[in-house]
């Protein structure tokens, strides 16, 4: 009986994979990109789908000469807008990450020139004040490079990178270059992210505060990416990071529940209290207690405050159930600029990674809808 059930399940998976291959033949490029980047299907895609040659050029970025970027060029001239792929802070290898490389290549195989620059700080899992100016310079470079048809640049952001792409698209100096924005699971407000990480509460899809279970590794990344760079003095920053390192990976913010040391700077003590707080009712007061420059920096990295200024079309996709960002963040971005921002939700999206099984066909169809809409923005 057990062997029969195993055979039946295996036959179901095989049938689903064959159905996907048939659909790729009918639907072409959008589904090809989706399948190539779906774990479990990428091997089938490699065997069943043609892979046009792509040339890789590594060069210093315009935004920061100390950083490098990967430029993927289809053989022959690019016939579409250039794509600038913006990574998040959860990709410490930057453009060298195998998943990022596969994603960039799959887009370049469609005839796009795809540029993946490393932004200052992101490979070290932190938000740097230099990241946004560097991104603006990278956009200007791709716009003027001749690799993008008509100088049109599509910003394609992943996770934190999607939020940075939205902020960049809202900047008046970038509007002439940015043709559209495509984002996978962005956050809207760093305050929402911090509240979810510390108190387990965040806005749901209806915009009301509700319980939210953030993955422990995301909690650690939030403390490392957001708090540490903004603490102030180097000694205080080191103590904040040491408390993170001493905590259990299953409860990474536990070290902050102890009273803050008097050796910390005033900014460090304020961050310590915020990271150690578990009471949702106290969060707003603790956030307000952060130094004004720190709160300004949090706002500068929060696209919700500027998304209504974006004039280019925006396409976002977010999971129905997420472990990284509260569901209400993607909803808030769409509602802030409904004439420009389209939001698609999918149960087959694991944060920014597609997943596929016979039971996820409806969710996978939503991802295909996202891929089809995205391909139109690249046309």
């Amino acid at each position: 009986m057990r062997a029969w059930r195993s055979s039946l399940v295996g036959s179901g998976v095989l049938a689903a994979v064959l159905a996907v291959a048939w659909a790729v033949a009918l639907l072409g490029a959008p589904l090809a990109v989706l399948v190539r980047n779906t774990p479990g299907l990428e091997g089938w895609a490699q065997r069943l789908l043609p892979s046009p040659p792509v040339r890789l050029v590594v060069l210093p970025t315009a935004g920061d000469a100390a950083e490098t970027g990967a430029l993927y060029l289809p053989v022959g001239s690019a016939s579409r807008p250039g794509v600038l792929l913006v990574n998040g802070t959860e990709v410490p290898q930057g453009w060298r990450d195998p998943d990022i490389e596969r994603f960039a290549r799959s887009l370049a195989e469609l005839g796009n020139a795809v540029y993946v620059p490393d932004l200052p700080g992101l490979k070290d899992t932190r938000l740097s004040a230099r990241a946004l100016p560097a991104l603006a310079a990278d956009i200007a470079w791709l716009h003027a490079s001749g690799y993008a048809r008509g100088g049109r640049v599509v910003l394609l952001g992943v996770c934190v990178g999607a939020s940075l792409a939205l902020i960049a698209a809202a900047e008046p100096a970038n509007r002439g270059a940015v043709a559209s924005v495509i984002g996978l699971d962005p956050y809207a407000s760093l305050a929402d992210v911090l509240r979810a990480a510390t108190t387990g509460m965040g806005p749901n899809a209806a915009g009301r505060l509700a319980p939210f279970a953030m993955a422990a590794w995301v909690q650690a990344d939030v403390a490392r990416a957001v708090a540490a760079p903004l603490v102030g003095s180097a000694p205080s920053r080191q103590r904040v990071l040491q408390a993170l390192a001493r905590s259990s990976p299953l409860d990474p913010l536990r070290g902050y529940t102890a009273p803050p040391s008097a050796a910390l700077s005033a900014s460090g003590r304020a961050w310590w209290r915020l990271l150690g707080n578990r009471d949702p009712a106290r969060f707003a007061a603790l956030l307000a207690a952060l130094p004004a420059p720190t709160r300004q920096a949090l706002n500068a990295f929060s696209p919700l405050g500027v998304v209504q200024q974006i004039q280019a079309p925006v396409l976002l996709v977010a999971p129905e159930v997420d472990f990284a960002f509260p569901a209400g963040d993607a909803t808030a971005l769409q509602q802030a600029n409904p004439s420009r921002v389209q939001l698609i939700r999918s149960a087959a999206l694991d944060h920014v990674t597609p997943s596929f099984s016979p039971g996820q066909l409806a969710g996978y169809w939503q991802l295909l809808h996202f891929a089809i809409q995205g391909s139109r923005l690249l046309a």
Side-chain angles (χ1 to χ4, degrees):
M1 178 67 74
R2 187 175 301 168
W4 178 81
R5 286 178 179 171
S6 176
S7 175
L8 183 62
V9 170
S11 299
V13 171
L14 177 60
V17 170
L18 291 175
V20 167
W22 173 78
V24 167
L26 286 180
L27 296 172
L31 188 55
V33 172
L34 177 59
V35 171
R36 287 187 192 280
N37 292 280
T38 302
L41 296 184
E42 71 273 22
W44 287 88
Q46 188 173 3
R47 289 190 289 271
L48 297 175
L49 301 174
S51 182
V54 171
R55 183 164 61 97
L56 170 62
V57 179
V58 177
L59 66 168
T61 69
D64 189 327
E67 304 287 354
T68 57
L71 179 63
Y72 294 88
L73 298 171
V75 173
S77 60
S79 60
R80 300 180 179 215
V83 178
L84 198 158
L85 180 55
V86 190
N87 279 329
T89 56
E90 76 280 17
V91 188
Q93 298 181 69
W95 56 263
R96 304 157 198 80
D97 182 88
D99 291 336
I100 295 297
E101 180 181 12
R102 180 170 57 251
F103 190 24
R105 282 187 176 276
S106 67
L107 293 169
E109 287 168 359
L110 303 182
N112 302 294
V114 182
Y115 184 45
V116 194
D118 284 337
L119 297 179
L122 266 63
K123 294 198 312 298
D124 300 321
T125 320
R126 60 183 177 85
L127 290 175
S128 167
R130 296 183 294 124
L132 289 171
L135 178 55
D138 292 330
I139 293 170
W141 175 84
L142 185 57
H143 171 64
S145 67
Y147 294 118
R149 185 186 63 195
R152 299 173 65 238
V153 175
V154 174
L155 298 181
L156 200 167
V158 180
C159 186
V160 171
S163 299
L164 299 183
L166 290 169
I167 296 168
E171 182 64 36
N174 299 330
R175 288 178 189 164
V178 176
S180 58
V181 182
I182 303 172
L184 283 75
D185 200 20
Y187 67 81
S189 164
L190 279 183
D192 284 346
V193 174
L194 283 166
R195 176 166 46 196
T198 56
T199 71
M201 299 289 290
N204 60 18
R208 293 187 292 270
L209 277 182
F212 177 79
M214 182 179 285
W217 69 265
V218 180
Q219 290 179 296
D221 274 3
V222 168
R224 192 176 296 111
V226 179
L230 300 176
V231 162
S233 68
S236 289
R237 188 179 309 118
Q238 185 177 9
R239 287 186 175 91
V240 169
L241 290 174
Q242 285 173 345
L244 183 64
R246 287 194 300 266
S247 299
S248 165
L250 299 178
D251 189 7
L253 304 184
R254 183 176 180 81
Y256 303 109
T257 57
S261 167
L264 287 169
S265 65
S267 174
R269 290 193 296 274
W271 268 117
W272 191 284
R273 294 188 184 99
L274 186 143
L275 292 174
N277 173 57
R278 300 295 176 265
D279 182 359
R282 295 185 60 215
F283 177 79
L286 292 170
L287 184 69
L290 295 175
T294 297
R295 286 182 275 115
Q296 291 168 2
L298 291 176
N299 289 335
F301 280 106
S302 298
L304 185 58
V306 297
V307 69
Q308 70 275 9
Q309 301 172 24
I310 297 177
Q311 298 176 1
V314 177
L315 175 65
L316 304 179
V317 67
E320 290 186 1
V321 179
D322 198 5
F323 61 78
F325 302 140
D329 269 31
T331 302
L333 289 169
Q334 192 279 324
Q335 292 178 345
N337 192 348
S339 66
R340 300 291 183 182
V341 181
Q342 179 185 1
L343 171 62
I344 296 172
R345 290 196 183 273
S346 172
L349 190 66
D350 185 19
H351 182 35
V352 295
T353 304
S355 58
F356 179 85
S357 70
Q360 291 180 315
L361 292 180
Y364 208 73
W365 170 255
Q366 292 298 327
L367 290 182
L368 176 58
H369 178 52
F370 168 73
I372 292 171
Q373 295 295 325
S375 70
R376 290 173 181 168
L377 294 179
L378 291 172

